[in-house]
Amino acid sequence: MDQLKLENQICFPFYALSRLIIRAYQPHLEELGLTYPQFLVMLVLWEQDHQSVNQIGEKLILNTNTITPLLKRMELMGLISRRKSKEDERKVLISLTPKGLQKKEKASCIPDALLANVADEQIDRTQFDELKSQLNFWIEALKKE
Amino acid sequence: MDQLKLENQICFPFYALSRLIIRAYQPHLEELGLTYPQFLVMLVLWEQDHQSVNQIGEKLILNTNTITPLLKRMELMGLISRRKSKEDERKVLISLTPKGLQKKEKASCIPDALLANVADEQIDRTQFDELKSQLNFWIEALKKE
DNA sequence: TGAATTTATATCGTATACGATACAAATATA
DNA sequence: TATATTTGTATCGTATACGATATAAATTCA
């Protein structure tokens, strides 16, 4: 029955860490006026502008029933525009507005600021990359389910 | 600007994995009639019955504004009971009902079933434990923030 | 001991998540 | 080419999360 102990679950640390990381981001994102999922959408668009709802959803592993209202709020905030694709009228293309693009510079210091805060205590680069590749292995494994 | 690429963020894998793991649990938890956070509450109570709202919240790193409605739903489902502590009338003690206790046995096979599904492809035990302790290090670091 | 402070929980408002379903545009196919 | 199927988004309902705020019980302290 030990396997039902909370501390023996591998699932819980991921659940907890996800929320703790979002909390750590919060003060930085507040300055940008973004929530964490909104920030992720911005990352995707800063990397490549003019993507369909589905393309964004696939990268963030989120369905349209989550993404659509999220994008609508971001449109209201003036960060992005939503317009139908001319080639395929089913698709809705998301583009950055000048205001949305402008935030990129302000955001660029966030990852560093966070790492400095948390991982300050000697986490060596190799170990860090090792962890990341391990996480990606799990993600790919679970995406296929 | 590469540091703003989604794939270079350490935060995203945790966010994604958390949701993917919950998805993987879903079919198993559906049989139990529980959501994932409800399952976590049950884990905490199966390990030790009769805990206050705060005690449960601390273990799951959740505030009462999340836990309270969650527990109320579980009370409606007949899994737990909520009653004021006699020693301290501010505290609300949560206890398992027979129905809640009964589910423990059915749940005991879930962790194994999941690991068999996902980690089937040779993940050795040592590496697994290493990962878990690394995650716990991060959790403790972020909890202190 | 009476008022100020702290503690434990609950309530409210907003923003995700996501299963189920709807619906229009595009594609396949008989 | 008319219909069935697929694809891309959106809508609806329910369940988290969580900041801000409220409130009653307990504790502190002037």
Side-chain angles (χ1 to χ4, degrees):
Chain A
M1 280 301 190
D2 260 15
Q3 58 189 164
L4 280 184
K5 276 192 174 180
L6 183 65
E7 66 170 298
N8 290 336
Q9 308 296 316
I10 188 70
C11 58
F12 176 66
F14 286 111
Y15 168 72
L17 260 182
S18 173
R19 287 181 298 107
L20 284 169
I21 290 174
I22 291 174
R23 281 187 206 174
Y25 266 88
Q26 207 117 310
H28 301 276
L29 293 179
E30 225 154 67
E31 288 180 45
L32 277 177
L34 294 172
T35 65
Y36 182 74
Q38 287 168 5
F39 174 63
L40 292 181
V41 169
M42 294 304 275
L43 285 181
V44 168
L45 288 173
W46 284 332
E47 202 168 324
Q48 189 195 324
D49 205 351
H50 315 299
Q51 295 190 60
S52 74
V53 174
N54 251 350
Q55 282 178 304
I56 297 172
E58 260 172 44
K59 282 172 188 166
L60 300 180
I61 317 179
L62 289 169
N63 283 318
T64 57
N65 52 7
T66 297
I67 294 270
T68 295
L70 206 163
L71 292 173
K72 282 189 171 179
R73 274 175 232 119
M74 294 175 73
E75 187 186 29
L76 276 177
M77 293 161 68
L79 297 173
I80 59 166
S81 69
R82 301 175 339 122
R83 68 169 193 288
K84 288 211 170 171
S85 160
K86 273 167 195 161
E87 303 92 59
D88 187 337
E89 295 251 327
R90 292 169 304 179
K91 289 185 184 171
V92 171
L93 286 181
I94 307 298
S95 306
L96 289 165
T97 61
K99 183 175 172 189
L101 192 56
Q102 193 188 353
K103 285 193 190 283
K104 183 175 182 179
E105 225 174 313
K106 245 182 134 181
S108 61
C109 58
I110 293 181
D112 274 343
L114 277 165
L115 273 186
N117 262 359
V118 181
D120 195 24
E121 19 218 322
Q122 73 292 338
I123 288 187
D124 74 81
R125 193 71 205 163
T126 333
Q127 202 183 359
F128 195 76
D129 291 339
E130 165 66 30
L131 173 61
K132 209 158 66 181
S133 80
Q134 210 167 352
L135 296 180
N136 280 325
F137 166 80
W138 281 75
I139 288 176
E140 291 311 316
L142 282 167
K143 271 210 300 203
K144 279 173 199 141
E145 283 280 306
Chain B
M1 280 299 189
D2 260 15
Q3 57 189 163
L4 279 185
K5 276 192 174 178
L6 184 65
E7 67 170 297
N8 290 336
Q9 307 297 316
I10 188 69
C11 58
F12 176 66
F14 285 112
Y15 168 72
L17 260 182
S18 174
R19 287 181 298 106
L20 284 169
I21 290 175
I22 291 174
R23 280 186 206 173
Y25 266 87
Q26 208 118 310
H28 301 276
L29 293 179
E30 224 155 64
E31 288 181 44
L32 277 177
L34 295 171
T35 66
Y36 183 74
Q38 288 168 4
F39 175 63
L40 292 181
V41 170
M42 293 304 274
L43 285 180
V44 168
L45 288 173
W46 285 331
E47 203 169 325
Q48 190 195 323
D49 204 351
H50 315 299
Q51 294 191 61
S52 73
V53 174
N54 250 349
Q55 282 178 304
I56 296 173
E58 260 173 42
K59 284 172 187 166
L60 300 181
I61 317 180
L62 289 169
N63 285 320
T64 59
N65 51 8
T66 298
I67 294 271
T68 295
L70 207 164
L71 291 174
K72 282 188 171 179
R73 274 175 231 120
M74 294 176 75
E75 188 185 27
L76 276 178
M77 294 159 70
L79 298 172
I80 59 165
S81 68
R82 299 175 341 120
R83 67 169 194 290
K84 288 212 169 169
S85 159
K86 274 167 193 161
E87 304 91 58
D88 188 336
E89 295 251 326
R90 293 170 305 181
K91 289 185 184 169
V92 171
L93 286 180
I94 307 299
S95 306
L96 287 166
T97 61
K99 183 177 172 188
L101 192 56
Q102 194 187 353
K103 285 193 189 284
K104 183 174 182 178
E105 224 175 314
K106 245 181 134 180
S108 62
C109 58
I110 293 182
D112 275 344
L114 278 166
L115 274 186
N117 261 359
V118 181
D120 196 23
E121 20 219 318
Q122 74 290 341
I123 289 186
D124 75 81
R125 193 70 206 165
T126 334
Q127 202 183 357
F128 194 77
D129 290 340
E130 165 66 29
L131 173 61
K132 208 158 66 182
S133 80
Q134 210 167 350
L135 296 179
N136 280 326
F137 165 80
W138 280 75
I139 288 176
E140 290 311 315
L142 282 167
K143 270 209 301 203
K144 280 173 198 139
E145 283 280 306

